[in-house]
Amino acid sequence: MSVHSRLAACIVFTTLGPCAFAQLTPPPALGSPPHAQAGPAAPVVSGRIQRWLINPNGEVDGLLLADGTQVSFPPHLSAAVQQLLKPGDTVQVSGRRAANAPVVRAATLTADSGRSVSDQPPAPDAPSPPPREPGALTGALTAMSADGQVAREIYTDRGDVNGVVLDDGTIVRFPPQAGAQLAMIVQPGGKLYAKGWGSSSASGNALEATAIGSTSDDLHELFARPNGEQAGLPRGPREERLAPAPTAP
């Protein structure tokens, strides 16, 4: 689900439960055959987990391996993956990689113990999750800013730049078209200042940028109002519009 579209719609969010459709499998029995070698449609990569990648909602939706490989997975696997793995562990990942893309889209993540987490579609007869009450996520996101040097870029499954990791570990996400337009700012080694909406958690800090620049005095607004004017930070979920003060007769 796109954080970008939710920001353009005044920060109205609807998310799945943290472990929806995640399946934790036991280690294989002794004598069971080893994993089959993956073909082009299901590459297998392995390595030590360097750090989690988190989205502005505070959910883990990817990881970086020590060799620089980026792995992505749906945010509804966040809790299950963190129960199985932690930074510093070795993981084997099977999944898919688009042609020339620097990202592996994980279908299964397997720990050294042999246990794994797989992204499983819901059963045809599985009940739908109950609808979230309106306003249930109100206050989940807060206005944030980030300032630092770009340590590395983050990519979509198709290979477009849609975020960066700063030198202090903060993750800044933005629409892929912004990554293309602001390539000189978001490239590794560049100085970046961003403001937007996000969250802080034990996993780290992440925000969805509404404006990006090399400094706070040189910001490029990323979202436009319906009339075409550039918008600043969106209003908070419960922020009310104040009536103009009456003028003196």
Side-chain angles (χ1 to χ4, degrees):
M1 44 182 177
S2 173
V3 176
H4 312 133
S5 60
R6 294 198 297 274
L7 278 170
C10 300
I11 318 300
V12 177
F13 291 90
T14 302
T15 61
L16 292 173
C19 299
F21 314 139
Q23 179 175 337
L24 189 65
T25 61
L30 293 176
S32 60
H35 293 290
Q37 294 296 317
V44 171
V45 296
S46 63
R48 182 176 58 84
I49 300 174
Q50 183 182 66
R51 62 163 297 132
W52 298 126
L53 296 178
I54 58 177
N55 62 30
N57 291 322
E59 302 162 313
V60 173
D61 63 359
L63 56 87
L64 293 178
L65 298 180
D67 65 359
T69 301
Q70 180 182 331
V71 177
S72 69
F73 46 81
H76 64 249
L77 296 182
S78 177
V81 171
Q82 290 181 88
Q83 289 173 3
L84 178 68
L85 298 162
K86 64 182 183 300
D89 289 352
T90 298
V91 63
Q92 179 174 281
V93 182
S94 62
R96 294 182 176 275
R97 188 200 301 263
N100 301 319
V103 180
V104 174
R105 178 71 170 182
T108 302
L109 298 99
T110 304
D112 280 342
S113 65
R115 301 190 72 189
S116 63
V117 171
S118 298
D119 185 22
Q120 297 289 336
D125 57 348
S128 300
R132 195 178 293 273
E133 292 295 327
L137 293 181
T138 296
L141 301 183
T142 58
M144 297 176 64
S145 64
D147 185 11
Q149 189 175 41
V150 176
R152 66 158 294 150
E153 296 168 316
I154 299 174
Y155 301 90
T156 67
D157 294 348
R158 299 180 63 178
D160 300 313
V161 177
N162 73 332
V164 296
V165 180
L166 299 183
D167 53 359
D168 66 356
T170 299
I171 293 176
V172 179
R173 305 276 187 141
F174 42 76
Q177 62 267 27
Q181 295 169 359
L182 303 175
M184 294 300 294
I185 297 176
V186 303
Q187 66 181 349
K191 181 69 174 176
L192 182 142
Y193 180 90
K195 65 177 183 179
W197 289 83
S199 61
S200 298
S201 67
S203 300
N205 303 324
L207 67 107
E208 179 74 20
T210 59
I212 288 178
S214 55
T215 68
S216 59
D217 297 323
D218 180 32
L219 289 176
H220 303 268
E221 301 286 351
L222 303 185
F223 297 92
R225 300 183 188 279
N227 61 8
E229 297 177 358
Q230 291 296 312
L233 278 173
R235 297 179 182 272
R238 288 184 175 175
E239 184 179 3
E240 297 180 357
R241 187 182 299 273
L242 298 178
T247 57

